[in-house]
Amino acid sequence: MKAILSLFLALITAVNAESPAERDARMQWFREARFGMFIHWGLYSVAAGEWDGKRYGGGVEWIQSLARIPVAEYTPLKDRFNPVKYDPDAWVRLARDAGMRYVVITSKHHDGFCLWDSKLTDWDVAASPWGKDLLKPLAEACRKYDMKFCLYHSIMDWHHPQWGNKEPWRGNSATDAPDMDAYAAYMKGQLKELLTEYGDVGILWFDGEWESAWTHERGTELDDYVRSLQPAIIVNNRVDKGRKGMEGATLGEHFRGDYGTPEQQIPANGIPGEDWESCMTMNDTWGFSAHDQNWKSSTVLIRNLIDVASKGGNYLLNIGPTPEGEIPQASVDRLGDIAKWMESNSEAIHGTTANPFPTTPWGRCTMKAVNGGTRLYLHVFDMPADRRLLLTGMRNPIRSARFLAAPQEALRVEAKSEGAAIIVDRELTDPAATVIVVEIEGRPELATPPGNP
Ligand code: GLC
């Protein structure tokens, strides 16, 4: 009897298991996208990084925890959340013009406050002066501009009385009794609203999985549940317990999650064998801060995007709108600069794969298979003194070399003992990165580097 039962279970698992080809098909848009927008928006935006006259740094969406604010004192923030300037159409256009292909917005962050009118709680936008769902208009704008609509959803919840880990600063009420079965049912109920009433959702970006109340078993069950509602959805690895800290790689096959999630960092060699996405801020916080003006330059952001793509990952770049629904001007300016760069260079990012060379001292390389050959995109950060861009160890015949932005002007090529070199006899004009396209025969074939067996 037992044997029959396990055979039956094995059969069910086999039927449900996804083949590598099916998985590739599901991941395809994500792999081609390379660039997305993260949006952290909620009640913490009202506090804007300050509480009781004290300023907090780092991720100020954590203000409730940073300032040890009891739930009863945090709750009135909802009365000041009124995004009258919210313009989802403009937000999505800003993302699209910058070359982003997906938008991930916080349906619920750690404070538990929901940006849609959930039937399962009053701790949501319906209780604010705004009073209306914020997610649906964004989902609609995404559909209009062919942008994937995706959701960040915190597993950990500082507001819900049944979440299993308690913090003394929360000021728990007498009715506060941890019950993770009940909490999991609440989360599933909410996810059902989000996954049945908003059309196709590209990614479910879970977070807050690190507390002890969340287990591998619960993560597995949640992943199955989400996939049962939307089989084509992509789920990040924070659904389960297998994330390696801020480096974000997934520690082993048996952990759920379709991709790794490095946070505020770009892994030196990507994450071999795994899909991944580096999420990063433009200043030092995810949620809006009125005082954090430590903005990265547009050049740094553009080079980060290139760096991530050259290592085979995606770049999820964050904005933290104000409680009125405005995107900080510093973010708008930077996205505008990225848009300008992407206008002439997006083909060197979208649909590309990782750099094939052991070293690229002049910058970064991405590539794409085309017409039986390969198109290499050399993103030049630093021009070598001899003005030669070495393609270390490459033996393939070269069909052509040219500036991406000036295709009619051919560049000369020189064969060197260490590999082919592209001679750049003109000044580079783009301070962030000038892209040179090199068309070669076949897939890149590299000579074994000297010293290697
Ligand atoms: C985190 C934080 C958080 C932020 C996020 C983005 O680990 O808790 O506030 O939303 O990750 O990656």
Side-chain angles (χ1 to χ4, degrees), residues 24 347 382 392:
D24 284 347
E347 90 157 74
D382 303 299
T392 312

PDB file of all heavy atoms in Angstrom, residues 24 347 382 392:
ATOM      1  N   ASP A  24      12.818  27.610 -19.246  1.00  0.00           N
ATOM      2  CA  ASP A  24      13.446  28.639 -20.097  1.00  0.00           C
ATOM      3  C   ASP A  24      12.385  29.554 -20.697  1.00  0.00           C
ATOM      4  O   ASP A  24      12.561  30.764 -20.764  1.00  0.00           O
ATOM      5  CB  ASP A  24      14.261  27.983 -21.220  1.00  0.00           C
ATOM      6  CG  ASP A  24      15.585  27.422 -20.703  1.00  0.00           C
ATOM      7  OD1 ASP A  24      15.975  27.762 -19.565  1.00  0.00           O
ATOM      8  OD2 ASP A  24      16.211  26.621 -21.434  1.00  0.00           O
ATOM      9  N   GLU A 347      20.261  48.398 -27.368  1.00  0.00           N
ATOM     10  CA  GLU A 347      20.449  47.067 -27.969  1.00  0.00           C
ATOM     11  C   GLU A 347      21.675  46.350 -27.368  1.00  0.00           C
ATOM     12  O   GLU A 347      21.801  45.140 -27.478  1.00  0.00           O
ATOM     13  CB  GLU A 347      20.543  47.161 -29.506  1.00  0.00           C
ATOM     14  CG  GLU A 347      21.927  47.344 -30.064  1.00  0.00           C
ATOM     15  CD  GLU A 347      22.070  46.896 -31.519  1.00  0.00           C
ATOM     16  OE1 GLU A 347      21.579  47.613 -32.406  1.00  0.00           O
ATOM     17  OE2 GLU A 347      22.697  45.847 -31.762  1.00  0.00           O
ATOM     18  N   ASP A 382      37.282  53.005 -19.895  1.00  0.00           N
ATOM     19  CA  ASP A 382      38.619  53.628 -19.851  1.00  0.00           C
ATOM     20  C   ASP A 382      39.365  53.275 -21.126  1.00  0.00           C
ATOM     21  O   ASP A 382      39.596  52.096 -21.404  1.00  0.00           O
ATOM     22  CB  ASP A 382      39.424  53.081 -18.662  1.00  0.00           C
ATOM     23  CG  ASP A 382      38.705  53.299 -17.351  1.00  0.00           C
ATOM     24  OD1 ASP A 382      38.455  54.467 -17.004  1.00  0.00           O
ATOM     25  OD2 ASP A 382      38.362  52.295 -16.686  1.00  0.00           O
ATOM     26  N   THR A 392      40.805  39.622 -25.505  1.00  0.00           N
ATOM     27  CA  THR A 392      41.809  38.665 -25.024  1.00  0.00           C
ATOM     28  C   THR A 392      41.536  37.228 -25.483  1.00  0.00           C
ATOM     29  O   THR A 392      40.509  36.658 -25.157  1.00  0.00           O
ATOM     30  CB  THR A 392      41.868  38.708 -23.480  1.00  0.00           C
ATOM     31  OG1 THR A 392      41.943  40.063 -23.081  1.00  0.00           O
ATOM     32  CG2 THR A 392      43.076  37.958 -22.940  1.00  0.00           C
TER      33      THR A 392
END
